[in-house]
Amino acid sequence: MAKLESRFGSFGGRFVPETLMNAVLELEKGFEAALDDPTFETELRDLLRNYSGRPTPLTFAKRLTEYAGGAEIYLKREDLNHTGAHKINNTIGQALLAKRMGKRKLIAETGAGQHGVASATIAALLGMECKVYMGEEDVRRQAQNVFRMELLGAEVIPVTSGSRTLKDATNEAMRAWVAAVEDSFYLIGSAVGPHPYPQMVKYFQRVIGDEARAQMLEQTGSLPTDVIACVGGGSNAIGMFTAFVDDLAVKIHGVEAAGKGLDTEEHAASLSLGRPGVLHGSYSYILHDENGQIIPAHSISAGLDYPGVGPEHAYLKEVGRVRYTAVTDEQAMEAVKILCELEGIIPAIESAHALSEAIRLASNGSVAEKILVCLSGRGDKDMGTIREYFKGEIQ
Amino acid sequence: MSTLANAFQTNITNLIPYIVAGYPTREVTIEFIHLLASEGVAAIELGVPFSDPVADGPIIQLAAEKALEKGVSLADVFSIAQSVRDQGNDVPLVLFSYYNPLLSYGLKQVAEEAAKSGFTGFIVPDLPYEESDALRIELEKVGISLVPLVAPTSEERVAKITSTAKGFVYCVSSLGTTGVRSEFASNLDSFLQQVRATSTVPIAVGFGVSTSTQVQDLQKKADGVIVGSALVKRIMDLEQELSNEDKKQEALNSIRGFVKELLS
């Protein structure tokens, strides 16, 4: 029988109210049982392949490579998933688990709306009820995604507490789960939260790295020299990194959002500038003041705009296996433009953080080196932000 | 100063009110403590405002937010308690805090400062039994009780949780967050009996208790009854009056009236 660790070194754990403990323990048991059941895996693989369109391609970015003038750049195309990002890998997995555990009601939190849309999508497919908690500020900024979720039959509940963004939506989703714990499943959107969520989200997202590793070997004959992914909560990153953690020759880089700069107060760089603490059920790096009050994050990319990070990233930082760095709003937006013009791909602004770092590393690297980037999502959702940012520059 | 477990025998009532420390101001919080103590409450829970209070409903969230806007910190909560003690009041004080502010302050330092400023118990709503050793050890060194929470869904966990309970056991009346509600868990009676059967310390029930009828009913089933949101709501309704010297006494009287009504 599968038994999962609740800690990554000293990080992780289960810091939730007693009212949730039974649900969290039940979830752990349910997930471990699913891991031992081959039919669960079969169902999961079937939906990933025939519904989401996996495996996603690995694209050699020829013109981007020429532009950088050094190492080769390869893109893992999570943007080509159904609903436009890696988020669907996790929602398919968790919703199948919910069904298996007899829970017909899904509760989810969302920032930009990508996880909310992915949750609403799978709820529709499996005939489940879906409530999505979203900060009032994000509801306003992401009106189109709100409409998408509603079109898919989900109920979007605006959250008016605190900073009215993702962290508050997560608080409210947890509160809603407590109140409806008997028939509801909390479908968390990133590799955060109390055990077993970080383990579970990693399990559902590791398909990214598993595929990419095999594709690199098949298409290029060797492993990449560097692997890069953006890190908010860190689900696409942990999904990509897991396949390479034991390949010690492969350098791994996680890219956080530096927002307006690491020397300003407006960033979302929990690993680079935060310190350990407890937020949303786990012990990890978080942004908090000297009194332990959580500080709202800032990033132009709503998906990275979160003051915490998954506990396994905290561990990978501490043991030095992954190098974590940060890219500013400005650098990310420049990378958006470059990828559009050179490769005909509009990336999500989240993914553009990883791209920016990839271009920088590639330009310093040799032609013998190969850099694998997780292109976690497409930029359709970001049209408003991108247009606003380049106002005057792009007609 | 009496111990927390003894408080249920020696005090006049078995009510445990909860207030948010520093709301509406540090000074008024001190006045509330004196007021509540003079009504003979068993103990007072002093809530440390936190930015992300997942176990709390909208009323306590809002009060905490307002206290944070004024910069109220854990250190202020210790100084509030210290002032109360310096003024000769020995009502049992229980610190109610989420875990992160405690971790951030340092568990050893928290325990020492809390003991020095006169706290006799701690309640940490997001620290389940499995994660509680580090804090419990520090609190035991200074003679402070870590009061555990049990819920109607705790089931087989109840025995394990009550085995290390000190002070009292906090029984959550129903699932959901703190806040006014009309109904408790349908299995509340059997749940309370189960806790009673395994606990060696008094049991108190809270979450959603707002009326004197509820207090009367729960008093028969538990050793203590906790009232939080309903009291904080009353304070919130009187926020302006409480900050106006001319109207403050009247507002305090009204709050006293509410406490008396709860106990009537």
Side-chain angles (χ1 to χ4, degrees), chain A residues 200-212:
Chain A
M200 191 163 73
V201 174
K202 170 169 76 168
Y203 180 79
F204 293 133
Q205 291 293 2
R206 66 166 296 163
V207 64
I208 303 172
D210 289 342
E211 283 178 9

Side-chain angles (χ1 to χ4, degrees), chain A residues 7 13-18 21-22 25 161-162 167 171 175 178 181 275 277-278 286 288 290-294, chain B residues 49-54 56 61 65 68 73 99-100 104 125-126 128 131 149 153-155 157 161 175-177:
Chain A
R7 294 263 179 175
R14 193 138 50 188
F15 297 88
V16 293
E18 177 58 27
M21 275 306 283
N22 231 9
L25 293 169
S161 58
K167 88 173 171 74
N171 292 338
R175 292 182 186 117
V178 177
V181 78
R275 55 195 170 83
V278 167
I286 59 176
H288 51 155
E290 70 280 9
N291 295 317
Q293 306 293 343
I294 310 304
Chain B
F50 182 51
S51 54
D52 295 77
V54 288
D56 284 304
Q61 284 175 43
E65 229 172 270
L68 286 175
S73 68
Y99 197 41
N100 201 51
S104 195
D126 57 347
E131 306 284 357
L149 287 98
T153 49
S154 295
E155 297 169 7
R157 296 170 51 75
I161 295 168
L175 298 175
T177 53

Side-chain angles (χ1 to χ4, degrees), chain A residues 325-342:
Chain A
T325 182
V327 152
T328 63
D329 290 350
E330 197 183 337
Q331 291 169 314
M333 295 309 281
E334 196 193 330
V336 166
K337 221 172 145 201
I338 292 171
L339 197 73
C340 290
E341 291 171 359
L342 295 181

Side-chain angles (χ1 to χ4, degrees), chain A residues 96-155:
Chain A
L96 282 178
L97 181 60
K99 196 180 94 178
R100 203 175 180 278
M101 292 173 66
K103 313 263 181 185
R104 309 298 303 179
K105 295 179 180 173
L106 300 179
I107 293 169
E109 82 295 335
T110 198
Q114 288 310 100
H115 173 60
V117 168
S119 299
T121 299
I122 192 69
L125 181 72
L126 299 180
M128 298 169 120
E129 187 184 292
C130 182
K131 283 187 181 163
V132 182
Y133 290 83
M134 188 171 185
E136 197 181 45
E137 182 62 21
D138 290 330
V139 167
R140 192 185 58 74
R141 288 192 289 198
Q142 306 285 340
Q144 202 174 19
N145 267 344
V146 173
F147 180 69
R148 258 186 209 134
M149 288 182 264
E150 289 172 346
L151 187 63
L152 290 160
E155 183 187 350

Side-chain angles (χ1 to χ4, degrees), chain A residues 17 20 33 39 45 91 110 115 151 180 182 250 264 277 279 322 388:
Chain A
L20 275 183
T39 60
R45 296 296 144 197
T91 59
T110 198
H115 173 60
L151 187 63
E182 271 142 15
V250 177
T264 72
L279 175 66
V322 177
E388 180 74 15

Side-chain angles (χ1 to χ4, degrees), chain B residues 8-261:
Chain B
F8 297 89
Q9 275 95 52
T10 53
N11 278 286
I12 305 157
T13 78
N14 54 11
L15 189 71
I16 306 174
Y18 166 99
I19 53 176
V20 175
Y23 175 73
T25 64
R26 296 170 181 82
E27 295 69 32
V28 173
T29 301
I30 294 169
E31 295 193 57
F32 285 155
I33 295 171
H34 291 310
L35 181 159
L36 294 166
S38 70
E39 290 302 317
V41 299
I44 296 169
E45 283 181 26
L46 214 45
V48 178
F50 182 51
S51 54
D52 295 77
V54 288
D56 284 304
I59 294 167
I60 292 175
Q61 284 175 43
L62 182 60
E65 229 172 270
K66 289 180 176 210
L68 286 175
E69 276 165 22
K70 293 190 176 156
V72 175
S73 68
L74 189 52
D76 292 314
V77 182
F78 291 143
S79 93
I80 287 170
Q82 188 66 58
S83 305
V84 170
R85 296 300 181 226
D86 291 347
Q87 289 158 13
N89 191 330
D90 68 353
V91 64
L93 291 175
V94 178
L95 186 103
F96 182 107
S97 176
Y98 286 86
Y99 197 41
N100 201 51
L102 306 181
L103 264 184
S104 195
Y105 202 89
L107 298 183
K108 187 178 161 62
Q109 214 177 338
V110 160
E112 285 166 4
E113 298 268 330
K116 213 166 62 185
S117 51
F119 281 98
T120 53
F122 267 47
I123 297 171
V124 186
D126 57 347
L127 191 68
Y129 172 81
E130 287 80 352
E131 306 284 357
S132 64
D133 281 353
L135 178 62
R136 184 176 26 251
I137 289 165
E138 293 302 333
L139 292 179
E140 269 170 10
K141 284 185 202 161
V142 296
I144 292 178
S145 309
L146 181 59
V147 173
L149 287 98
V150 289
T153 49
S154 295
E155 297 169 7
E156 70 272 21
R157 296 170 51 75
V158 169
K160 183 164 69 176
I161 295 168
T162 54
S163 71
T164 55
K166 295 276 169 61
F168 62 95
V169 175
Y170 190 136
C171 304
V172 176
S173 71
S174 42
L175 298 175
T177 53
T178 58
V180 175
R181 57 173 68 90
S182 54
E183 277 185 19
F184 299 127
S186 55
N187 65 342
L188 182 63
D189 289 7
S190 60
F191 163 57
L192 293 177
Q193 279 162 19
Q194 185 199 359
V195 181
R196 169 83 74 199
T198 57
S199 177
T200 56
V201 290
I203 69 170
V205 58
F207 273 48
V209 184
S210 60
T211 66
S212 92
T213 315
Q214 289 171 329
V215 172
Q216 304 299 315
D217 178 45
L218 293 172
Q219 274 175 338
K220 294 179 204 136
K221 300 167 181 168
D223 307 304
V225 181
I226 300 153
V227 176
S229 294
L231 177 59
V232 175
K233 174 76 170 55
R234 192 55 67 109
I235 293 168
M236 204 167 273
D237 291 341
L238 295 164
E239 194 185 312
Q240 292 204 325
E241 287 82 347
L242 287 162
S243 59
N244 179 336
E245 277 308 316
D246 295 339
K247 294 186 178 161
K248 190 160 94 180
Q249 201 48 51
E250 201 183 320
L252 288 170
N253 287 342
S254 161
I255 288 161
R256 187 184 295 277
F258 176 67
V259 175
K260 283 185 188 295
E261 187 191 308

